[in-house]
Amino acid sequence: MTKMLKNVLENPGEEKFRKVRTSNPKFSSKVYNMRGAPEFFRLVGFKDTIEEGFIVLPADADLALLQKGVDALSAQAVARAEAEESKRKEDEEKAKAAQKERDAKKNQEAEASKFDAAVAAMAAGSMEDEEDSQLEAIETFMDANPDLKAGQMFDAYEIERQVAGASGTVVVQFVASVGTSYNEYAAYMRRSPEGQWSVSKIEKA
C-alpha cells in the first residue's frame, strides 16, 4: 500500500498510478479487503468511479493527504516492528528464565541426591563402626571366658542379627568360626552413654 501511494507522489502526472483496479485478486486479497483499507483510500483522496471495480485519485486531489497517508503507514510499520521486537525480547527473556529455573531445579535435585548419598554413607559407616565395637567387646569377653570356646581357637567373629533385650540390653547373635567349623552364640550387650559396648553374658545358641 505504501509503495502505491509513493508511486503517485513521485509521479503525480502518471494516470496509471492514480487508477487502481480493486477487483484485482492479488490487490483485493492482500490490500483492499483488509479491515479499514477502503476507508483509508478514501481518506487520502481516492474515489469510486462509474467504472465498476476501480478507484481513482482525481487530478485535483490534495497530495498532502496522500503524504499524510504514507507517513501514517510508515509510523504504523515502525510501531509494528517495535512491538514485534519487544515481544521477541520478552519471549526470549521468558525462555531464559524458564531454562534458568529448570537448571536450578536440576541442581537442587542433584545436590539432594548427593546429600542423601552422603547421609547413607555416613549411616553405613556408623553401623560398621558400631559392629566393630561390638565384635571387639565380644572377642574380649570370649578371651576372658575360655570355657565358652570349648578349647577352640576361633579365627573370626561375625554378627548375624541383633534384637532388643530387656532393661535396655541388646541381644547380639553372632557366629565364631575356626576353619570350616561354625559356632553360634548370643551375647547380651549394653551401650554406655559414651558409646562403649560391654558384654554381660554370652550363651551358646
Side-chain angles (χ1 to χ4, degrees), residues 68-82:
K68 285 183 179 180
V70 170
D71 293 342
L73 290 173
S74 298
Q76 185 185 52
V78 170
R80 186 185 299 113
E82 289 177 347

Side-chain angles (χ1 to χ4, degrees), residues 22-152:
T22 57
S23 59
N24 180 296
K26 186 176 180 180
F27 174 77
S28 178
S29 62
K30 292 189 174 181
V31 179
Y32 206 64
N33 284 343
M34 300 295 290
R35 188 177 63 179
E39 292 80 3
F40 176 83
F41 275 98
R42 291 187 181 90
L43 284 173
V44 298
F46 280 84
K47 298 182 181 299
D48 293 325
T49 67
I50 57 174
E51 188 177 359
E52 188 177 351
F54 287 88
I55 56 174
V56 296
L57 184 70
D60 59 349
D62 185 0
L63 295 184
L65 290 177
L66 212 62
Q67 185 61 57
K68 285 183 179 180
V70 170
D71 293 342
L73 290 173
S74 298
Q76 185 185 52
V78 170
R80 186 185 299 113
E82 289 177 347
E84 289 175 353
E85 178 63 14
S86 177
K87 187 175 186 309
R88 185 191 68 77
K89 289 182 178 179
E90 183 180 349
D91 291 343
E92 190 176 90
E93 289 301 318
K94 286 181 179 179
K96 286 181 180 178
Q99 184 61 51
K100 187 176 181 181
E101 185 177 347
R102 287 193 294 270
D103 291 342
K105 187 177 180 180
K106 286 182 181 178
N107 289 336
Q108 288 177 351
E109 291 174 350
E111 289 301 319
S113 296
K114 290 179 183 178
F115 178 77
D116 291 343
V119 170
M122 289 175 63
S126 177
M127 187 177 295
E128 288 177 0
D129 290 343
E130 287 291 322
E131 287 195 357
D132 288 344
S133 181
Q134 288 174 322
L135 288 171
E136 184 178 348
I138 288 171
E139 189 171 355
T140 299
F141 189 90
M142 293 288 284
D143 289 343
N145 298 272
D147 55 309
L148 290 170
K149 295 183 179 183
Q152 300 181 82

Side-chain angles (χ1 to χ4, degrees), residues 2-19 46 57-59 61 63 66-67 70:
T2 302
K3 183 179 180 181
M4 292 175 58
L5 301 186
K6 283 186 174 181
N7 283 339
V8 178
L9 289 171
E10 294 170 0
N11 306 277
E14 291 284 346
E15 185 178 349
K16 66 178 181 179
F17 292 129
R18 289 172 169 270
K19 186 176 183 180
F46 280 84
L57 184 70
L63 295 184
L66 212 62
Q67 185 61 57
V70 170

